[in-house]
Amino acid sequence: MSLAPRAVLVHRRTAYADAVARHGTPGAADFFLRTRGRSLAELEEADEQQRRALATVAAAVPVDWRTGSVERAELSRFLFAPEDVVVVVGQDGLVANVAKYLSGQVVVGIDPAPGRNAGVLVPHPASAAQDLLHRSVSGGACDARTMVCASTDDGQELHALNEVFVGHRSHQTARYVLTAGDRREEQASSGVVTGTGTGATGWLASLSRGRAALPAPTDASLAWFVREAWPSRTTGADLVAGTVAAEPLTLDVLSDELVVFGDGLEDDRLTVSRGQRITVTVSPRRLALLR
């Protein structure tokens, strides 16, 4: 007997909740902000918008479905099931945060504050939740967005929707040998970023500046960029941008330690050391984002 679908509501703690937690009470938080020319009221309004959106979505879940909820900070410890419908209520970036933990589940993007967010990955209002949930299990059209995968020679693996970063965990120099196709170069830089067409409107946009063509969200290719490569007697700065399609991008680590993380989730990272190899490819996974 198959299980009924489960609607998993994904959200992020608001700036209002963070401010109150930091200062102890709403009054203390408001006093602190007012002494700096700000007001807690603007944060409280956004918090209330998210609460209303979450309540609207929860009320729209069919009575024969199951329901779950997870906050962004708990994503790495949450177990998603194959029959889940993942409803992201928040900013566009929250969809990227959850994508790495999924394996084909349909994602519904809900914008709790239309007009405030870009709405690229959260294009729907909360009021449309009932129809969206119905379409998520009845063959509604989805965009199969390309993801990026970084793997290591000891079996570690990380997937991301926007981009993966390889570099030092702080602001120190990352040292490695980069290989792209038949080109190879030893480098010292502040890291390497490899991203998808979905990430082309974010970090990749600031890195590209015409150096390489950026893919579309569903293209089976990636774009990569080296940040601040340093030329010296032993390191070069010629191999600093390109694309990944059939052939992977590889980095042979020369630093004592480097980290790999995706979509800004630095706490959920891979750690590699001297002598190891990192391979970056188009991920076999795709994000199924309901249109």
Side-chain angles (χ1 to χ4, degrees):
M1 184 175 182
S2 60
L3 290 172
R6 179 176 66 162
V8 179
L9 277 60
V10 181
H11 59 96
R12 182 175 182 174
R13 195 163 85 156
T14 63
Y16 173 84
D18 284 337
V20 172
R22 184 178 302 113
H23 297 284
T25 66
D30 188 49
F31 174 78
F32 176 83
L33 291 172
R34 286 186 181 280
T35 60
R36 287 153 177 80
R38 304 295 298 273
S39 169
L40 188 64
E42 58 190 84
L43 302 184
E44 189 172 14
E45 180 183 356
D47 181 83
E48 183 57 32
Q49 283 182 312
Q50 178 166 295
R51 289 177 183 273
R52 288 197 301 267
L54 284 167
T56 299
V57 173
V61 177
V63 294
D64 58 337
W65 286 31
R66 297 167 296 137
T67 305
S69 179
V70 59
E71 202 270 329
R72 178 182 183 267
E74 305 298 324
L75 283 171
S76 63
R77 295 183 286 276
F78 189 85
L79 182 61
F80 289 96
E83 69 275 5
D84 287 345
V85 175
V86 182
V87 186
V88 176
V89 182
Q91 299 166 322
D92 292 287
L94 190 55
V95 175
N97 294 154
V98 74
K100 64 181 292 184
Y101 303 108
L102 303 180
S103 54
Q105 293 91 338
V106 174
V107 175
V108 179
I110 300 290
D111 188 351
R116 177 175 298 178
N117 299 312
V120 175
L121 301 177
V122 288
H124 305 290
S127 58
Q130 186 173 32
D131 175 63
L132 293 167
L133 289 170
H134 173 72
R135 291 200 290 116
S136 71
V137 294
S138 61
C142 292
D143 287 331
R145 289 183 173 247
T146 298
M147 297 181 66
V148 53
C149 174
S151 58
T152 65
D153 53 6
D154 62 356
Q156 301 180 80
E157 192 173 89
L158 181 148
H159 300 260
L161 178 62
N162 285 333
E163 71 278 314
V164 293
F165 169 81
V166 180
H168 198 276
R169 70 169 67 231
S170 70
H171 295 290
Q172 297 182 41
T173 300
R175 298 181 182 277
Y176 52 86
V177 177
L178 185 147
T179 302
D182 59 357
R183 301 182 65 191
R184 180 180 175 90
E185 185 172 71
E186 183 173 338
Q187 294 183 340
S189 75
S190 58
V192 181
V193 178
T194 308
T196 67
T198 298
T201 58
W203 201 356
L204 290 190
S206 65
L207 292 171
S208 65
R209 297 188 177 276
R211 291 192 295 171
L214 299 180
T218 57
D219 287 350
S221 62
L222 312 169
W224 59 267
F225 301 95
V226 178
R227 300 174 63 215
E228 303 166 325
W230 177 256
S232 70
R233 291 182 178 179
T234 58
T235 59
D238 295 322
L239 196 56
V240 294
T243 58
V244 175
E247 294 186 325
L249 181 74
T250 64
L251 293 89
D252 294 299
V253 180
L254 300 180
S255 295
D256 290 335
E257 180 184 275
L258 294 181
V259 298
V260 186
F261 63 83
D263 295 336
L265 291 175
E266 297 184 50
D267 291 337
D268 190 7
R269 61 178 178 260
L270 310 181
T271 302
V272 291
S273 57
R274 186 188 304 272
Q276 287 193 263
R277 170 170 288 186
I278 303 162
T279 302
V280 184
T281 61
V282 175
S283 172
R285 301 181 188 178
R286 295 290 187 273
L287 173 71
L289 184 66
L290 190 69
R291 293 178 185 169

